Amino acid sequence: MAAFGSVFMPKMAVTNFENNQWSDAAIVSSDSIQMHPGAHVLHYSSTCFEGLKAFRHEDGSVHIFRMDQNIKRLAQSSRLLALPEIDEEQVAQMIKDVVAQFADDVPEPPGSMYIRPTHFGTEAAVGKAAAPSLTSMLYVLLSPVGDYFAGGSRALRLLLDETGMRCAPHMGMIKSGGNYASALQPTMQAKADVEADQVLFCPNGDVTETGAANFLLVDGNEIITKALDTSFLHGVTRSSILSLAADQGMTVTERDFTVTELLEFAAKPGVEAMLSGTAAVLTSVGTLIHNGQEHKVGSGETGPIAQKLRQALNDIQWGKAPDTHNWLTRIV
């Protein structure tokens, strides 16, 4: 497979919001977007998106994972960015229609079809720096992907940053392109300076998330992660992992914790740290870098709990375990 997310299906689903209403959705060429150079999104970043996946089961059927939650989050992001209110039923149908059209192209496990609904302001009005776009476009793009860790997964290295922030605190729960852009430079600098894979943003010592993933800790039978607030993304994979951990009898604790606590946890044998997200699913963190010192997390290697929870999630997605939470939507 090519690099994750770099190959796309030739057609996508699209709808436009104009004159206070959404147009009928259509399947069009994926390279057919045209917009005015004064479009609101190009100047004031009025854009949000989602990432979800469709999976092929052994019987040939295709299922989308937790589509309802991703659509709800897209609706939330759109509202918080003052974009036109989306029609959630229309978006669901667009996703189902375009995935059904390319069902034969959904890869076998561990591959999947990555689904990228995107919503952005299109009004040509560069004077609207402090006003929303009255028109917008929403499309659903597909990308067949392989395993995110095609070369084999390994425990990641995280730089703890207590001075910077991933994004403005009131923007964290929005899945907006600008949030990812703001985290890019610190992440690149961390890679160059200390060979870190990601930056774990901990403003004023409060552990939040990395540029593209939620952060979780495991201490014995307890899984710990920051309580939901507006400062960080409410990950669908995070929610799924916490549900599966509870299913397996683990204690789920959602609370704020500090860098000091995190380093104390990391020094304990058997402790694990993990990143969760749609692309990588669940990945172990082996090293934390803080004030020029490296701190192993537990053994410093991929942890057994992370492997167990990742496998439990994959088994549901791939149809190898019962879907007791009704997370799958069958397409064909």
Side-chain angles (χ1 to χ4, degrees), residues 109-320:
S112 59
M113 183 67 80
Y114 190 77
I115 306 166
R116 176 55 65 95
T118 303
H119 186 201
F120 56 92
T122 55
E123 184 179 1
V126 296
K128 280 196 162 187
S133 175
L134 297 180
T135 63
S136 66
M137 176 182 290
L138 193 157
Y139 63 75
V140 180
L141 187 64
L142 302 183
S143 175
V145 296
D147 189 346
Y148 193 76
F149 296 107
S153 63
R154 59 174 177 80
L156 301 179
R157 294 166 53 85
L158 300 187
L159 174 66
L160 307 186
D161 183 346
E162 295 185 74
T163 59
M165 302 181 72
R166 177 179 181 250
C167 61
H170 69 285
M171 289 286 289
M173 64 193 294
I174 305 172
K175 197 169 177 69
S176 175
N179 290 351
Y180 291 81
S182 69
L184 184 57
Q185 196 279 334
T187 302
M188 292 174 62
Q189 194 67 50
K191 289 180 179 180
D193 291 347
V194 294
E195 297 182 341
D197 296 291
Q198 291 284 338
V199 174
L200 180 58
F201 293 97
C202 309
N204 301 313
D206 178 33
V207 177
T208 60
E209 63 181 339
T210 69
N214 292 136
F215 181 78
L216 306 98
L217 272 171
V218 171
D219 180 24
N221 197 49
E222 183 180 21
I223 188 165
I224 307 165
T225 188
K226 180 175 172 62
L228 294 179
D229 62 28
T230 63
S231 70
F232 74 109
L233 194 64
H234 301 179
V236 175
T237 303
R238 169 192 178 279
S239 170
S240 305
I241 291 296
L242 294 182
S243 294
L244 293 176
D247 290 347
Q248 295 180 10
M250 297 185 71
T251 299
V252 175
T253 301
E254 296 182 74
R255 66 171 178 86
D256 291 348
F257 56 98
T258 65
V259 168
T260 299
E261 288 181 276
L262 172 57
L263 295 177
E264 289 172 354
F265 272 117
K268 297 169 64 176
V271 163
E272 296 183 37
M274 302 170 285
L275 297 182
S276 67
T278 299
V281 187
L282 194 64
T283 311
S284 288
V285 174
T287 304
L288 302 173
I289 306 163
H290 182 246
N291 291 340
Q293 291 188 313
E294 296 193 4
H295 304 260
K296 271 188 179 181
V297 180
S299 69
E301 305 296 331
T302 298
I305 302 298
Q307 290 178 310
K308 182 180 179 182
L309 290 172
R310 177 188 171 98
Q311 190 63 55
L313 184 60
N314 283 155
D315 284 347
I316 294 171
Q317 293 171 331
W318 298 339
K320 296 181 178 180

Side-chain angles (χ1 to χ4, degrees), residues 13-16 22 74 86 91 94 117-119 136-140:
V14 66
T15 179
N16 291 280
W22 288 101
L74 182 66
I86 70 169
V91 175
M94 289 168 66
T118 303
H119 186 201
S136 66
M137 176 182 290
L138 193 157
Y139 63 75
V140 180

